[in-house]
Amino acid sequence: MKTLDVQVWRGDETGGFEKFEAPAQENQTVLDVVTWIQRNADPSLSYRFACRVGMCGSCAMTVNGRPRWTCRTHVSRVAKDGRLKIEPLLNLPVIKDLASDLKPFFDKWNAARGTFEAAIKREDPLVPISPDQPERAAANAAIECINCAVCYSACDMVGWKPSYLGPAALNRAWAAWNDVRNDNRLDVLKAVSDDAGCHNCHSHQSCSEHCPVGLNPTLSIAGLKRATSKALLKGNLK
Amino acid sequence: MIAAKLYLIQRISALLMAPLVIAHLVGIIMAVQGGLTAEEILGRTQGSLGWLCFYSAFVILVAVHGTIGLRSILIEWTPLANRIVDALAAGWLISALILGLRAVVAVTWS
Ligand code: SF4
Ligand code: SF4
Ligand code: FES
């Protein structure tokens, strides 16, 4: 039987790699391999997943040096020689084994003020929003994020300046800024103009390159830089 | 808001500097045509209000633009606290302004 040579991170930040041999299948994802190890070799292996179809964003890990959604990453695509090195996501604290602590990631979503606050009450008539409206088109392009933190893990800037809000939170802020039904649009601009905000981004596009659902946080962040600069020049941002 | 302001100032200074850089380069190429001597350079610049304004503006823009970039590099690449980075950047800005403007005065004042 053909086997895979798998190195898996064990323990917290101070841990190390443990070697496993797992059966190589014709068709298998990296998550399948991790699950095989947990079920057949070491039940104490900790990792996270839920949907297994690329919707929930919980299965992201570092695979052979790159952050990926493991449930939709086929082994044949990333490990041509049958070798896999699986680690938790970078730029985040490690809870245990392959499970990273996503608290800082989600705290930054809140800090970037990507929340929606309705400008009208539920009794008020609905405001028609045309899908062709430029703001709506921009929001639509940024909205399908699955919160997987792959981009956050791929961003050097987060590594260099740990307070930086990072691509996902800023991408969400861009969608919230472009939602004309949103009552806190100026708060979004204020939040992303902070020391930890969008102006830290170097536009080197590692986030966009790695985003598994094909979003372009770099473009969203460039939009935020334009929007904050315009607001500053108009005197709307103090 | 300081991050947004510094970002904007850096972009605007770059925009203003672009034509000055081109004029500076064209000036160099034209100046070296007839050989390069101190007398020739000083003959052109000394007592010239035009060159005084041109290079004073250039020095101020370079100092501001460069300091903002240097501050980012220090924040990203060193473990220094923000307070210390700001102090170093301010020191750099002042030194660049003093050295640069002193040089401008030296070649344009007669
Ligand atoms: S483009 Fe910006 S947000 Fe994306 S990886 Fe680079 S620095 Fe990070
Ligand atoms: S932007 Fe892409 S990579 Fe980043 S969290 Fe959202 S889906 Fe994941
Ligand atoms: S398990 Fe849900 S996205 Fe991979």
Side-chain angles (χ1 to χ4, degrees):
Chain A
M1 185 181 65
K2 270 175 72 180
T3 57
L4 294 169
D5 172 4
V6 194
Q7 294 194 57
V8 180
W9 187 264
R10 301 306 303 268
D12 56 15
E13 275 102 350
T14 58
F17 286 100
E18 186 177 347
K19 276 193 174 185
F20 293 96
E21 241 182 41
Q25 310 278 355
E26 187 73 13
N27 224 332
Q28 81 195 126
T29 64
V30 174
L31 184 65
D32 292 335
V33 175
V34 174
T35 301
W36 185 92
I37 293 172
Q38 200 264 346
R39 290 195 183 157
N40 300 285
D42 187 346
S44 73
L45 177 65
S46 304
Y47 65 111
R48 211 188 268 119
F49 74 95
C51 71
R52 294 189 296 168
V53 288
M55 288 181 70
C56 71
S58 60
C59 66
M61 300 170 201
T62 307
V63 183
N64 288 357
R66 282 175 173 250
R68 296 183 183 278
W69 53 355
T70 55
C71 72
R72 296 201 57 187
T73 300
H74 280 263
V75 173
S76 57
R77 217 159 35 87
V78 293
K80 299 248 171 339
D81 57 357
R83 282 170 205 275
L84 277 174
K85 199 172 191 179
I86 311 175
E87 301 163 71
L89 284 176
L90 302 176
N91 294 340
L92 287 162
V94 183
I95 300 174
K96 177 176 173 280
D97 303 341
L98 301 172
S100 311
D101 181 0
L102 284 130
K103 187 169 186 305
F105 176 72
F106 287 115
D107 284 348
K108 288 176 181 179
W109 277 69
N110 289 332
R113 290 299 300 252
T115 44
F116 176 76
E117 278 160 38
I120 54 170
K121 299 234 159 38
R122 65 191 323 170
E123 312 80 60
D124 296 335
L126 287 177
V127 184
I129 308 272
S130 157
D132 312 324
Q133 205 180 322
E135 284 97 342
R136 192 59 237 167
N140 280 349
I143 210 118
E144 295 292 347
C145 173
I146 58 169
N147 307 11
C148 65
V150 161
C151 56
Y152 186 85
S153 179
C155 175
D156 286 335
M157 193 54 221
V158 175
W160 292 329
K161 183 172 177 177
S163 62
Y164 173 44
L165 293 173
L170 290 170
N171 178 70
R172 171 59 207 159
W174 173 241
W177 158 252
N178 278 295
D179 191 336
V180 294
R181 304 163 307 156
N182 196 354
D183 208 19
N184 71 347
R185 296 178 71 206
L186 203 57
D187 290 343
V188 175
L189 288 194
K190 283 186 193 146
V192 302
S193 296
D194 241 8
D195 180 58
C198 63
H199 304 93
N200 289 294
C201 169
H202 285 282
S203 309
H204 61 18
Q205 305 194 22
S206 185
C207 51
S208 311
E209 172 73 22
H210 287 87
C211 174
V213 292
L215 299 188
N216 191 343
T218 315
L219 194 70
S220 302
I221 295 169
L224 286 174
K225 288 177 184 167
R226 267 198 318 278
T228 50
S229 298
K230 269 192 206 156
L232 262 183
L233 290 173
K234 281 191 190 155
N236 294 339
L237 267 186
K238 295 264 161 29
Chain B
M1 225 51 61
I2 185 77
K5 284 183 187 154
L6 289 179
Y7 174 86
L8 193 59
I9 294 170
Q10 200 181 29
R11 265 56 195 179
I12 292 173
S13 58
L15 204 72
L16 295 175
M17 253 191 310
L20 301 191
V21 171
I22 293 169
H24 178 66
L25 291 176
V26 170
I28 292 174
I29 293 166
M30 280 167 48
V32 297
Q33 295 306 316
L36 193 61
T37 61
E39 293 94 273
E40 192 228 354
I41 295 174
L42 291 175
R44 190 172 49 250
T45 56
Q46 264 179 347
S48 159
L49 188 66
W51 284 122
L52 175 80
C53 295
F54 178 90
Y55 276 111
S56 299
F58 209 159
V59 162
I60 294 168
L61 289 168
V62 168
V64 169
H65 186 85
T67 302
I68 298 173
L70 183 74
R71 180 177 173 273
S72 302
I73 294 172
L74 289 175
I75 290 173
E76 289 165 26
W77 288 50
T78 69
L80 298 173
N82 273 7
R83 248 176 331 112
I84 297 173
V85 167
D86 284 343
L88 285 174
W92 175 269
L93 176 68
I94 292 165
S95 325
L97 283 174
I98 292 175
L99 290 174
L101 291 175
R102 200 170 150 266
V104 172
V105 169
V107 294
T108 55
W109 217 254
S110 56

